[in-house]
Amino acid sequence: MTNDLYAVVGHPISHSKSPRIHSLFACQTGEALEYTAIQAPLDGFEATVAQFFERGGGGLNVTVPFKEQAWQMAQRRTERAQKAGAANTLYLDEDGRLTADNTDGQGLVSDLCGNHGVELAGANILVLGAGGAVRGVLAPLLAAKPAALTIANRTLAKAEALLALFAPDAGATRLSACGFDAPDRPYDLIINGTSASLQGDLPPLSPSVIDNRTVVYDMMYAASETTFNQWARERGAQQTIDGLGMLVEQAAESFRVWRGIKPVTAPVIAELRD
């Protein structure tokens, strides 16, 4: 019997933890699958996807820089992919249509609430950045019914555009947009959706956004503490969390979409930390 084929597609891709994560999921659940990494040419993503499914592939994860392209080429999009404007999960539906999904936002919320006990309902949240990473997580964050959510970005117009896009999803949540230098009071939760800390940079935030009750979440992760989390910890944040758990949780949600079974994530996160 041959194993079902799955893969992650990106450029570059050699650093990806996804093959290890999904191999651990397969061992845990007893699912017979093989998961590899594919580096697609920058001008050859669509051909790579087509060839994969023509070979009988079961599903693809998509990472930088192809998430928007995956969304555009899909013949069908789930509601959460539609809102995110990008896809990190592809599969063929029962009619053979290429279907785009986005599990990033579910991954973030699962990590925050399930793994770290963060209460989103009624929280006052500051989200940093207005790019694709932030757009992909806003709908699940708003579904958790925070009291208020502020999007801060270097370019105010981009933050305001996201605000307008997600206003219909806000419900009773107060939405606002501003530049990085505007927030001047403590928040319950600050989510860094910029990639600045990977370069050792920081958004120009006032330290007054943090007090001893603030939880800080950097969607990036690295072998050592991210620059943003170090900055927050040194200013007295109650808790700092990196994005490794989000990576595992979004993978688990993709696995569920493909296989109909949700892996247990805690042992996988622990193994990756080691």
Side-chain angles (χ1 to χ4, degrees):
M1 188 178 100
T2 58
N3 290 348
D4 294 337
L5 296 175
Y6 296 86
V8 59
V9 182
H11 187 113
I13 202 63
S14 59
H15 66 286
S16 176
K17 297 184 187 301
S18 293
R20 186 176 175 202
I21 292 169
H22 283 274
S23 294
L24 291 168
F25 288 164
C27 288
Q28 180 196 116
T29 59
E31 293 288 295
L33 61 88
E34 180 183 338
Y35 189 107
T36 61
I38 300 171
Q39 179 158 303
L42 291 175
D43 61 352
F45 173 72
E46 291 196 15
T48 301
V49 171
Q51 289 163 10
F52 177 83
F53 286 109
E54 283 166 9
R55 294 200 316 267
L60 285 173
N61 283 132
V62 182
T63 188
V64 175
F66 299 125
K67 288 185 178 184
E68 286 80 13
Q69 205 171 338
W71 187 90
Q72 289 164 356
M73 74 179 288
Q75 297 161 293
R76 188 175 78 87
R77 303 179 187 110
T78 65
E79 186 177 343
R80 57 190 178 184
Q82 188 65 37
K83 265 305 192 191
N88 75 334
T89 304
L90 293 173
Y91 60 94
L92 301 181
D93 71 6
E94 58 274 11
D95 298 317
R97 293 176 297 177
L98 183 66
T99 302
D101 200 354
N102 191 307
T103 66
D104 286 330
Q106 181 62 54
L108 172 65
V109 170
S110 293
D111 192 35
L112 278 166
C113 302
N115 298 330
H116 297 283
V118 177
E119 181 61 59
L120 296 178
N124 196 0
I125 301 174
L126 174 64
V127 179
L128 307 176
V134 168
R135 178 173 171 175
V137 303
L138 283 177
L141 282 173
L142 290 170
K145 296 182 168 50
L149 188 147
T150 299
I151 303 168
N153 192 53
R154 196 176 306 277
T155 307
L156 178 58
K158 284 188 174 181
E160 289 174 335
L162 271 192
L163 201 74
L165 183 65
F166 284 90
D169 302 280
T173 302
R174 299 187 307 278
L175 286 181
S176 58
C178 63
F180 283 139
D181 57 351
D184 59 359
R185 57 189 172 76
Y187 288 80
D188 300 314
L189 172 65
I190 301 174
I191 299 171
N192 181 27
T194 76
S195 59
S197 64
L198 287 182
Q199 285 82 47
D201 296 330
L202 290 165
L205 279 180
S206 166
S208 61
V209 298
I210 291 173
D211 68 12
N212 60 8
R213 295 164 298 171
T214 304
V215 174
V216 170
Y217 193 103
D218 194 337
M219 288 168 64
M220 302 299 123
Y221 65 90
S224 56
E225 186 177 36
T226 68
T227 303
F228 188 76
N229 279 357
Q230 181 183 343
W231 176 85
R233 177 177 51 78
E234 290 171 351
R235 277 146 190 84
Q238 177 196 118
Q239 187 179 10
T240 57
I241 307 164
D242 71 11
L244 183 65
M246 175 181 171
L247 176 72
V248 176
E249 293 293 345
Q250 63 79 25
E253 178 64 9
S254 292
F255 194 96
R256 185 197 65 77
V257 167
W258 294 326
R259 308 295 294 188
I261 183 170
K262 185 77 175 277
V264 179
T265 54
V268 176
I269 294 170
E271 184 155 337
L272 290 178
R273 288 276 180 217
D274 293 339

